[in-house]
Amino acid sequence: MKISAINHKLSKRAFHTAAASLVCSALCIGITGCDEELDRPPIDIPHTDWKANTSIIDLKTSYWSNDRNYATEIVANGNERVIIGGRVIASDSTGNVYKTIYLQDKTSAVAIAVDTTKLYLRYKVGEEMYFDVTGLYAGKYNGLFQIGYREAYNNAWETSQMKAADFYNRSRLNGLPDLAEVDTIRTSLAQVMRWTNNPDSVAKYVGQLIRLDDITIEGGGSLTFSEFGTSSNRTVADASGNSVTLRNSSFATFAQDVMPEGWGSMVCVLSFYSTSWQLLLRSTEDLFGFHGSASDLPESAKGTFEPASQIESGMTYIFVNSEGKVAIPIAASYTYGYLYVEDPLSTSGTSMTVKSANALTFTNTEKGWTITDSFGRYLSMEGTYTSFQLYSDTPREGSYWKISPSSDGNAKFEITNILKPSYTIRWVEKFSNFAPSSNSGDMLPAVYVKVN
């Protein structure tokens, strides 16, 4: 084809396009003027007159049991149906949260189990939702408290998924999603571990959205979130040795992504399985700030300590032996034992930089001094034991100590158990640990105070 023929066809096409444009313009002017939004469907903003008459924490505590599996019917309050309300904080948008909506109000949060998928298309994070729970069941599914139907399990009952149609009939949405109304509890793994032994704390915090800082995911940088074809457990840890299981579904959209390396922050749902906590990610966008490698420690996990000339209530201290090694906390999973030692991170003059996890908090009370470790447990002596017993709830009779400066000087103190006055905390060379000792030949610890 010749160039002139091509130009002729283009000019005819341009003419028809221009003519069509003029016709459209005339039509627009003839109606009300052009509205560029006419091709967009109107926004359907949901609205309901329903109001909550029961808080989530009241519902949970009313139907709470320490049993691992059970189902209790939620009964009406007289002639009034029981309605809870709040904001959706997690659903199944990535597949890691499965057939569940998590609803949060100002008091707590709860899992609502529904036998359907793609809930996120209708129930979006930040959306205000009201839910009629009358006649449903509240209880646990292998340790996790949730609302749903009753289902038989090993000649007993557990709380499982409700039918989708029933869920839709019982739920009402109100307004557009507002992420600013979603409450994320900023906490730590140490605090989460302390909640484990308190049923009231488990009831309050299970199902909540939490934020954890200065954590690392074991295997980050090399392992995927889940093994191919099977859901997997990974471990989230902090610099103090606390750790919690991160549960990842093989159906999650990010299942085959490599987990981030180093230290960072995460937002997640605090769930429960069997007798311990589990963490559930909503998406990988809830992981942020990761840097370095797992062998590096974040600055917040370090502390500078100097020799103490006196002991003050509420301050944190470390025990140091004659070789300059620092006492480390007894493992989180143990309820008794001895304080072993490790090298400090660095030493400069008389000051030491050590892991904050090594610190002990001394508090003066009417009964004597208490000593708590980085897990919040009280160092105690009870019964016939000659080791430390550790209690994370309240101090016992053997949790009180008398503290006196030693004539040896050099920041050394005699820390003697009041219940068992023949036992003083010392460095026991033959066992390579700090322990209650009745042998005056064992060396007293040098006590350093945190200055930064």
Side-chain angles (χ1 to χ4, degrees), residues 223-227 232-236 244-246 248 259:
L223 295 181
T224 56
F225 284 93
S226 180
E227 299 297 329
S232 302
N233 291 339
R234 302 303 190 210
T235 300
V236 173
V244 176
T245 296
L246 177 67
N248 301 314
M259 299 183 298

Side-chain angles (χ1 to χ4, degrees), residues 194 197-198 365 367 370-372 375-382 389-400:
R194 286 193 286 271
N197 298 321
N198 186 334
T365 74
K367 292 185 177 182
T370 61
I371 305 172
T372 50
F375 300 115
R377 303 172 300 182
Y378 290 89
L379 272 66
S380 307
M381 293 196 69
E382 305 282 344
Q389 287 88 58
L390 305 165
Y391 301 102
S392 58
D393 43 12
T394 56
R396 311 292 179 92
E397 285 302 310
S399 302
Y400 299 100

Side-chain angles (χ1 to χ4, degrees), residues 53-113:
N53 56 24
T54 302
S55 70
I56 290 176
I57 191 61
D58 284 345
L59 180 73
K60 289 167 80 174
T61 53
S62 296
Y63 292 92
W64 188 267
S65 168
N66 291 330
D67 294 341
R68 189 182 300 182
N69 293 286
Y70 69 95
T72 305
E73 186 176 2
I74 303 171
V75 297
N77 184 11
N79 294 325
E80 190 175 44
R81 298 183 69 84
V82 181
I83 297 176
I84 58 174
R87 298 278 173 175
V88 175
I89 58 173
S91 61
D92 56 358
S93 60
T94 65
N96 202 45
V97 174
Y98 182 65
K99 294 187 175 183
T100 304
I101 288 282
Y102 284 87
L103 186 67
Q104 176 195 74
D105 67 8
K106 299 297 183 183
T107 66
S108 188
V110 67
I112 302 173

Side-chain angles (χ1 to χ4, degrees), residues 102 142 144 192 206-208 210 232-234 244-248 268-281:
Y102 284 87
N142 202 358
L144 174 63
V192 170
V206 66
Q208 290 274 38
I210 65 170
S232 302
N233 291 339
R234 302 303 190 210
V244 176
T245 296
L246 177 67
R247 181 66 173 175
N248 301 314
C268 55
V269 174
L270 184 59
S271 186
F272 209 86
Y273 180 78
S274 185
T275 58
S276 57
W277 296 107
Q278 273 192 350
L279 307 179
L280 295 177
L281 283 174

Side-chain angles (χ1 to χ4, degrees), residues 16 60 84 130 145 212 235 260 302 316 383 389 398 416 422 425:
H16 289 302
K60 289 167 80 174
I84 58 174
Y130 294 91
F145 185 93
L212 301 168
T235 300
K302 303 174 185 177
T316 53
Q389 287 88 58
T416 303
S422 60
I425 296 177

Side-chain angles (χ1 to χ4, degrees), residues 41-47 127 173 175-177:
I43 298 176
D44 183 17
I45 301 177
H47 173 73
E127 190 109 36
L173 296 176
L176 297 176

